Amino acid sequence: MQKLWIKGGVPLEGEIRISGAKNAALPILAATLLLDEPATISNIPHLKDVTTIIELLGILGVKVTLDESFSVHVDASDLSSFVAPYELVKTMRASILVLGPLLSKYGQADVSLPGGCAIGSRPVDLHINGMRAMGAEIEVEDGYIHARAKNGLKGTRIVLNTVTVTGTENLMMAGVFAKGQTILKNAAREPEVVDLANFLKSVGADIEGAGTDTIVINGVTRLHSSHYSILFDRIEAATYLAAGAITGGCVKLKDVEPEMMAAVLEKLSEMGAELTIEERAIQLDMRGKRPKAVDIETAPYPGFPTDAQAQFLAVNAIAEGVSTVKETIFENRFMHVQELVRMGADIHVQGNIAVCKGIEKLHGAPVMATDLRASASLVLAGLAAEGETIVDRIYHIDRGYSCLDEKLAQLGANIRRI
Ligand code: EPZ
């Protein structure tokens, strides 16, 4: 099992390019199942979850070729299967995203239930109930979602009682070939949802309102080819900005869209970071200062992203002052706390609130990653800690970050894979 060795205490300096967004690449690659003509998707991040969904597309019969410049060429014109098997879905719950396109275009799909995951039970009832409302017959048994829509799907008005990112994405894709109009109320507004809508519109789908809480999809009968470039990864960007903050350094990120990171940038300013915003770049300069502690409360976009919570709690662990971090999206997303405490952090969790008293210095320790973003927070803590930190189970990191250790080393970090 690969590990990351980190020797802390080096303020990060330098600039890196941010990759395409994992959480935009996954739904957009799933959406290529709707196409009869080949499409090219560029700026695809090289990470495990993307490899997994490409594997899944391959199992369904999609011809996929990757070229060296992060582009993926997809031809879904001749599928051979409509089954997303357990052994693959269990490694990545976002595989559920093939349900909507397969049902919308082929009227059938058998997708393994994703099962729980470390950060929470993460049910998919909203996906299933929405498609049932569109006329699908769905049986959930022996761990699979068996979905059929012999006469195709029918557009209808769906009110999502919880804001769900992949639920919104799945139902948007289901609406593409549905007869009539599908209206999604209380839809997720995340930039990745908008990126999926933009991709779908680029191949001829009729979608309005993406980015607001009401998305309207008018069914069409055919789609065409497209060459589409994926949005930047705002969570990867937030992670590197937090790395600059926690080490008191100065980092510049390129190929980003600052206006999509308002909640994160506001917290970094509150921490005392000096931010220089350009059209497609963000520079953070701590001028060697220790960050000030900031209170965080996660919320659906445009609120503070739950996927950046663990990273910012790590910064709070060494910040000046006491802070509270409230996690409102998932019921168990504080697994990084125990590991940070083993590095000397003074953090107590009560329900969905972590109370953190900043200390001067964490000390390096052997720690274990439990989920994707918790792992990132442990790496950040290791960058700031005195001494050596070994992060175990870094396959979690490789699922969601492309070349994290290389990019951090580029910024001067003392880090290597062992
Ligand atoms: C997406 O997961 C992201 N993954 C997650 O990123 C992210 O943390 C999450 O949205 C919230 O922003 C992808 O986009 C691939 P949700 P998703 O449905 O869609 C409840 C990462 O680190 N819910 O928005 O699965 C659910 O339990 C990953 O990259 C239902 O109750 O999250 C949760 O409490 C981690 N029923 C809340 O809604 C449903 O049918 C939000 O979940 C669906 C969701």
Side-chain angles (χ1 to χ4, degrees):
M1 186 109 51
Q2 283 204 321
K3 301 178 181 181
L4 279 181
W5 172 90
I6 303 162
K7 184 151 179 10
V10 178
L12 298 188
E13 306 269 338
E15 68 178 59
I16 52 169
R17 181 189 170 278
I18 294 300
S19 307
K22 165 176 86 81
N23 291 349
L26 298 177
I28 287 172
L29 286 168
T32 61
L33 289 165
L34 292 161
L35 302 182
D36 281 326
E37 297 175 20
T40 300
I41 317 288
S42 46
N43 198 30
I44 290 274
H46 271 201
L47 41 86
K48 183 77 182 71
D49 273 9
V50 168
T51 317
T52 302
I53 198 149
I54 287 175
E55 226 177 287
L56 174 54
L57 293 178
I59 288 173
L60 300 173
V62 180
K63 292 182 201 60
V64 186
T65 47
L66 276 156
D67 73 20
E68 62 298 328
S69 65
F70 304 162
S71 287
V72 174
H73 308 282
V74 187
D75 179 355
S77 59
D78 183 16
L79 294 195
S80 52
S81 161
F82 305 110
V83 179
Y86 171 68
E87 52 281 350
L88 202 135
V89 174
K90 75 178 180 208
T91 66
M92 188 188 65
R93 53 179 303 101
S95 309
I96 185 92
L97 285 165
V98 303
L99 180 62
L102 288 176
L103 205 47
S104 192
K105 183 165 176 59
Y106 298 99
Q108 61 175 328
D110 294 299
V111 180
S112 165
L113 272 174
C117 97
I119 62 179
S121 61
R122 299 181 75 180
V124 288
D125 54 310
L126 298 172
H127 301 236
I128 291 170
N129 296 340
M131 288 178 209
R132 280 184 174 139
M134 296 172 77
E137 278 146 44
I138 300 186
E139 298 298 320
V140 181
E141 58 195 15
D142 56 46
Y144 272 77
I145 300 166
H146 299 286
R148 296 293 179 275
K150 282 186 295 303
N151 314 316
L153 294 175
K154 204 170 154 328
T156 186
R157 187 171 184 279
I158 297 167
V159 181
L160 293 159
N161 57 29
T162 311
V163 174
T164 162
V165 173
T166 51
T168 300
E169 292 165 346
N170 235 340
L171 292 168
M172 193 197 301
M173 292 188 280
V176 167
F177 288 130
K179 292 177 197 61
Q181 188 172 82
T182 303
I183 300 172
L184 303 181
K185 297 297 290 179
N186 196 27
R189 298 165 52 189
E190 271 67 6
E192 294 76 26
V193 173
V194 177
D195 211 33
L196 171 63
N198 289 339
F199 168 70
L200 290 170
K201 287 192 275 190
S202 80
V203 294
D206 178 351
I207 299 174
E208 293 138 29
T212 75
D213 63 1
T214 302
I215 300 179
V216 178
I217 307 106
N218 296 305
V220 296
T221 50
R222 265 192 70 71
L223 298 175
H224 51 74
S225 182
S226 164
H227 182 153
Y228 191 81
S229 182
I230 298 273
L231 177 76
F232 83 105
D233 193 320
R234 61 195 171 95
I235 304 302
E236 184 194 22
T239 305
Y240 288 109
L241 292 171
I246 202 170
T247 57
C250 176
V251 298
K252 182 168 184 179
L253 309 184
K254 294 188 300 180
D255 291 353
V256 296
E257 297 183 48
E259 68 282 359
M260 292 183 190
M261 298 190 64
V264 165
L265 297 179
E266 187 193 306
K267 288 298 169 186
L268 289 164
S269 299
E270 254 181 72
M271 283 179 158
E274 200 176 287
L275 295 176
T276 309
I277 308 293
E278 295 165 28
E279 201 198 328
R280 286 188 56 78
I282 297 170
Q283 177 174 289
L284 170 139
D285 191 351
M286 290 302 288
R287 298 202 177 285
K289 291 194 312 286
R290 181 182 174 196
K292 294 188 198 64
V294 295
D295 293 339
I296 303 263
E297 178 164 341
T298 64
Y301 191 86
F304 189 91
T306 173
D307 292 348
Q309 177 258 104
Q311 298 90 312
F312 275 67
L313 182 51
V315 185
N316 270 340
I318 52 95
E320 210 173 304
V322 179
S323 58
T324 56
V325 175
K326 186 172 182 183
E327 172 55 59
T328 69
I329 307 290
F330 291 110
E331 61 266 33
N332 183 27
R333 203 169 197 177
F334 282 128
M335 269 146 342
H336 38 292
V337 169
Q338 280 322 313
E339 298 302 290
L340 291 171
V341 166
R342 292 183 54 247
M343 297 175 75
D346 180 351
I347 307 174
H348 298 279
V349 176
Q350 287 141 0
N352 67 346
I353 294 181
V355 180
C356 178
K357 189 177 171 316
I359 60 168
E360 284 276 340
K361 273 274 170 220
L362 293 170
H363 49 77
V367 290
M368 191 168 75
T370 48
D371 66 87
L372 168 55
R373 307 301 174 182
S375 333
S377 83
L378 298 179
V379 172
L380 263 51
L383 293 172
E386 214 140 51
E388 300 181 359
T389 298
I390 306 261
V391 184
D392 199 355
R393 302 195 177 180
I394 57 166
Y395 58 85
H396 290 293
I397 291 181
D398 295 335
R399 286 193 46 184
Y401 289 93
S402 49
C403 319
L404 179 80
D405 39 325
E406 280 99 333
K407 288 185 178 179
L408 286 171
Q410 216 179 308
L411 294 171
N414 243 331
I415 183 170
R416 63 171 178 277
R417 218 164 257 263
I418 53 175

